[in-house]
Amino acid sequence: LRADVIHVVDHGQAYLLGGLDPRRTVVTCHDVILLALASGRIGSTRVPLVALQLFRISLEFMKRAAAVVAVSAQTKRDLVSLVGIDPAAITVIHPGLNQPFAPDAERGATLRRRLGLGAGPLILQIGRTFYKNISGTLRVLHRLRGDGLDVRLVRTGRPLAGDERRLAEKLEVDAQVVELGSVPDSDIPALYNAVDLLLFPSLYEGFGWPPLEAMASGTPVVCSRAGSLQEVVEGAALTADPEDVETLAWHAAAVLTDAGLRARLVSQGLAHAAGFSWDQTAEQMVAVYRDVVERAS
């Protein structure tokens, strides 16, 4: 409590400002998905009232902070429009990449063999929460297979269930969905190397690591423009609106069949992802700390 600067590293704990010196406190906000959902911007999934109220309370405390760090310009815009935080109090600092992602064909081939993934083209889908648009991913898979591409979808996390499972069966693509279940963090870099494309048609992201992780791995990306994604991929991926199945499928097919396009996206993705480093993030964060200390002194 007697520190020069106190950094609350997640907005969900911003209520801690009730017992901290606000003149010396920095809060990082990653996203305000619950508020975006409650405002009707992300589908029709209901938000539990208690969770929404607790979230709002935490964000109200954030207004007291000496500085707020947003992980993307989209999150900053959301904090201004949905929470009412002064934009002058918010600094956008992108995070870095957390693992040694890099192109490594041999590492990918080894994982393919170990997991029995075969030799055909593979599309990766990462993320299990509702806004990851799994139904859209299944519709893209259906369109690709209907166009004659013998492609399979690789998934991590909990298997398809409920409406998503029923949709896969209705579209007759359930046999082409490969469920890997829980994948150890140590295998994630190899998983990006093992697939041919990351498909990420998310309905919203406060930042969105998977596209950058894939780019750093030399894996092309097709993703939505929703939330922060257009900002994060910045022209190094093929993008479309999250519900535009036709365009997403067209982009995916192009990546899987056009070697020239694929090579261009790989090159652009590697160069773009190289700009997201924790060294750069740290330098920018230290500048925020110094400003807070100077103003509090």
Side-chain angles (χ1 to χ4, degrees):
L1 294 178
R2 293 190 298 273
D4 294 315
V5 180
I6 302 161
H7 188 173
V8 179
V9 297
D10 187 272
H11 55 277
Q13 284 78 49
Y15 60 82
L16 292 171
L17 273 154
L20 300 173
D21 182 353
R23 300 171 307 138
R24 296 182 178 276
T25 302
V26 179
V27 180
T28 292
C29 183
H30 300 274
D31 62 69
V32 291
I33 288 176
L34 283 182
L35 294 188
L37 182 61
S39 68
R41 285 169 42 184
I42 313 173
S44 58
T45 301
R46 294 183 61 186
V47 182
L49 183 58
V50 171
L52 183 60
Q53 289 174 332
L54 291 173
F55 190 65
R56 288 187 184 279
I57 289 170
S58 195
L59 293 181
E60 282 298 313
F61 274 105
M62 192 190 301
K63 292 179 180 179
R64 304 182 186 182
V68 173
V69 172
V71 298
S72 67
Q74 177 65 51
T75 293
K76 178 176 180 175
R77 288 192 294 270
D78 289 342
L79 285 171
V80 173
S81 63
L82 297 176
V83 184
I85 294 180
D86 181 358
I90 306 171
T91 301
V92 175
I93 300 179
H94 290 145
L97 290 167
N98 297 314
Q99 294 205 53
F101 299 103
D104 191 330
E106 183 177 346
R107 178 169 65 178
T110 299
L111 188 69
R112 272 204 183 215
R113 289 192 297 270
R114 175 154 65 85
L115 298 179
L117 297 177
L122 298 175
I123 291 176
L124 176 63
Q125 183 264 314
I126 285 185
R128 190 66 188 84
T129 50
F130 70 92
Y131 59 88
K132 298 302 183 183
N133 194 14
I134 295 169
S135 62
T137 301
L138 293 172
R139 295 182 193 281
V140 170
L141 176 63
H142 173 255
R143 181 67 62 91
L144 291 171
R145 293 193 61 81
D147 289 342
L149 286 173
D150 186 19
V151 62
R152 290 173 295 148
L153 177 68
V154 175
R155 300 187 64 256
T156 64
R158 289 180 289 118
L160 296 176
D163 290 344
E164 293 161 356
R165 168 58 59 186
R166 286 188 285 274
L167 177 61
E169 292 170 351
K170 177 182 177 181
L171 296 174
E172 298 182 341
V173 296
D174 50 309
Q176 284 74 47
V177 177
V178 181
E179 302 280 15
L180 298 181
S182 179
V183 176
D185 282 351
S186 58
D187 279 345
I188 295 298
L191 181 58
Y192 282 116
N193 297 143
V195 301
D196 300 282
L197 170 70
L198 174 72
L199 179 61
F200 199 73
S202 183
L203 300 174
Y204 178 92
E205 292 293 330
F207 182 74
W209 268 282
L212 279 178
E213 293 171 349
M215 288 179 187
S217 305
T219 300
V221 175
V222 171
C223 67
S224 74
R225 304 185 182 109
S228 64
L229 287 176
Q230 188 75 23
E231 165 193 353
V232 168
V233 302
E234 223 178 58
L238 299 182
T239 65
D241 291 335
E243 280 132 5
D244 187 351
V245 171
E246 183 174 350
T247 301
L248 289 167
W250 188 88
H251 284 332
V255 172
L256 294 172
T257 60
D258 185 333
L261 171 63
R262 181 180 183 84
R264 176 172 64 80
L265 287 174
V266 168
S267 176
Q268 291 176 339
L270 287 169
H272 180 62
F276 291 79
S277 75
W278 281 114
D279 286 344
Q280 177 176 283
T281 301
E283 289 176 6
Q284 295 171 328
M285 196 69 74
V286 168
V288 171
Y289 294 162
R290 286 176 172 156
D291 179 64
V292 167
V293 170
E294 183 177 342
R295 288 187 284 118
S297 299

